[in-house]
Amino acid sequence: MAREAELALTLNQVQSAEALISQAQDAEAMHPYVLAVSGLTWLIDGPAGAARAAFESALQRDPKDAKALTGLGLAEIKLGNLQSGQQKLQAANEADPGNSLALTYLGRVQYQLGHAEAARASWRSAQQADPKDPTPWLYQAQAELQANLGGLNRVKRHV
């Protein structure tokens, strides 16, 4: 059921995912995968604090769970804890170096923290890990656009 719930989330069928994860919790509430998918459901449609608690519970059972580490990083970012989010996403990347999702969001938080070169490196790694995922390309393009607009605004002030 948890795998079906995760699939429903990828298809943006949140209500179906919530129903499926509820069934999975009835069967195996403390299984790390069930906890991690529960956290993803909360992260998408619920309080970030509840998502964080679910990911932390999953990590108590499996401290190297890349899905739970990625989710915890995203929950921390959603809660405004960028540094902590970055640390969790780096840990997710160490646990699963080819995880394009963790690399994509690691790049995003690195950029938010002012580490543009590190962000670009993370996005390049994400693009290599999954060339068909448009998300790292999108974030990289947005960062380049923002940098270009910033340069344009500086030129306008000097003219």
Side-chain angles (χ1 to χ4, degrees), residues 41-87:
T41 304
W42 282 111
L43 192 60
I44 292 168
D45 189 36
R52 177 172 54 188
F55 295 128
E56 288 172 341
S57 292
L59 290 167
Q60 287 175 354
R61 285 151 186 79
D62 182 2
K64 298 282 186 194
D65 183 335
K67 183 180 301 302
L69 286 164
T70 300
L72 182 56
L74 294 174
E76 290 292 351
I77 292 166
K78 192 171 184 180
L79 291 165
N81 306 322
L82 299 183
Q83 292 284 349
S84 179
Q86 178 181 332
Q87 291 169 350

Side-chain angles (χ1 to χ4, degrees), residues 6-117:
E6 185 177 20
L7 178 60
L9 288 175
T10 64
L11 298 172
N12 201 28
Q13 298 173 354
V14 179
Q15 290 180 334
S16 295
E18 289 171 344
L20 289 163
I21 202 61
S22 179
Q23 293 174 20
Q25 289 169 332
D26 290 343
E28 293 185 87
M30 300 313 286
H31 189 279
Y33 184 73
V34 172
L35 289 165
V37 176
S38 296
L40 291 173
T41 304
W42 282 111
L43 192 60
I44 292 168
D45 189 36
R52 177 172 54 188
F55 295 128
E56 288 172 341
S57 292
L59 290 167
Q60 287 175 354
R61 285 151 186 79
D62 182 2
K64 298 282 186 194
D65 183 335
K67 183 180 301 302
L69 286 164
T70 300
L72 182 56
L74 294 174
E76 290 292 351
I77 292 166
K78 192 171 184 180
L79 291 165
N81 306 322
L82 299 183
Q83 292 284 349
S84 179
Q86 178 181 332
Q87 291 169 350
K88 299 304 179 196
L89 289 167
Q90 286 172 328
N93 183 47
E94 291 168 12
D96 183 9
N99 184 330
S100 66
L101 184 66
L103 286 163
T104 297
Y105 287 106
L106 176 59
R108 188 164 187 198
V109 74
Q110 287 168 327
Y111 191 79
Q112 288 173 314
L113 290 168
H115 308 295
E117 286 306 313

